[in-house]
């Protein structure tokens, strides 16, 4: 009976609240660069989420591949990811950004991000950019700092 009650309660949630993407849904061979202004923020588990409004013309900064990256426990070739980053093919102006779980955000000392904050992010979108405009963040650049969100700080 408890399982049935839980499932009935789950079905009452809005669709966005039910969706959670694992890493396998994302194309990790094609890093995407986004920047813009945060229009909505959810600082909650299973991971923090932002809505990012992109500028009309988006381009990868010339210095992106040379940016210094923090050490992390996951074996990620950050410089290679930044060097391969491209802007998305799709032209959506608003994107959902999936950040790390709150415990990991706290480990990196990321202050809660509020609407109005300008930031940039490198991450991965759904395979072939299908479905909603969603980006799973690998690197977050905010307030002059960079955070590697795949794992904890090394």
């Amino acid at each position: 009976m408890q399982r049935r009650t839980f499932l009935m309660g789950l079905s009452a949630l809005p669709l966005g609240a039910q969706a959670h993407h694992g890493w396998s849904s994302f194309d990790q061979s094609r890093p995407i660069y986004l920047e813009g202004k945060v229009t909505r923020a959810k600082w909650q588990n299973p991971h923090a989420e932002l809505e990012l409004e992109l500028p009309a013309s988006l381009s990868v900064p010339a210095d992106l591949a040379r940016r210094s990256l923090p050490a992390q426990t996951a074996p990620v070739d950050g410089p290679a990811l930044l060097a391969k980053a491209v802007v998305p093919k799709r032209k959506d102006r608003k994107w959902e950004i999936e950040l790390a779980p709150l415990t990991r955000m706290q480990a990196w000392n990321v202050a809660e991000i509020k609407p109005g904050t300008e930031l940039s992010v490198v991450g991965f979108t759904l395979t072939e950019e299908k479905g909603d405009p969603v980006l799973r963040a690998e690197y977050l650049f905010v307030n002059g700092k960079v955070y590697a969100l795949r794992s904890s700080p090394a």
Side-chain angles (χ1 to χ4, degrees):
M1 184 58 120
Q2 286 180 321
R3 180 180 167 95
R4 184 176 184 175
T5 303
F6 170 76
L7 292 174
M8 287 173 41
L10 184 61
S11 66
L13 291 173
L15 183 57
Q18 294 179 42
H20 178 74
H21 306 100
W23 273 106
S24 64
S25 303
F26 294 87
D27 182 357
Q28 295 181 56
S29 67
R30 189 169 174 266
I32 301 291
Y33 174 83
L34 298 176
E35 67 180 24
K37 183 186 288 188
V38 174
T39 57
R40 186 172 35 92
K42 292 183 187 175
W43 215 249
Q44 62 189 25
N45 282 314
H47 49 77
E49 296 176 12
L50 306 173
E51 181 181 76
L52 190 66
E53 185 171 11
L54 310 181
S57 62
L58 177 65
S59 62
V60 176
D63 72 335
L64 183 65
R66 295 185 305 275
R67 292 186 185 175
S68 179
L69 298 173
Q72 63 177 317
T73 56
V76 176
D77 186 350
L81 273 175
L82 297 187
K84 285 177 56 176
V86 296
V87 295
K89 294 174 187 171
R90 57 190 306 154
K91 301 300 178 196
D92 301 270
R93 294 285 304 281
K94 290 197 176 185
W95 281 72
E96 178 183 331
I97 310 300
E98 292 184 359
L99 300 174
L102 293 185
T103 54
R104 194 168 316 139
M105 300 298 280
Q106 290 168 343
W108 282 104
N109 293 315
V110 180
E112 185 173 345
I113 297 170
K114 306 276 188 186
T117 302
E118 298 275 344
L119 59 81
S120 59
V121 61
V122 172
F124 306 104
T125 191
L126 298 170
T127 302
E128 298 179 15
E129 295 187 26
K130 291 183 179 177
D132 294 328
V134 175
L135 184 96
R136 184 134 191 201
E138 183 77 43
Y139 290 101
L140 174 66
F141 303 89
V142 61
N143 297 325
K145 295 180 182 175
V146 59
Y147 305 98
L149 300 181
R150 176 75 65 105
S151 65
S152 297

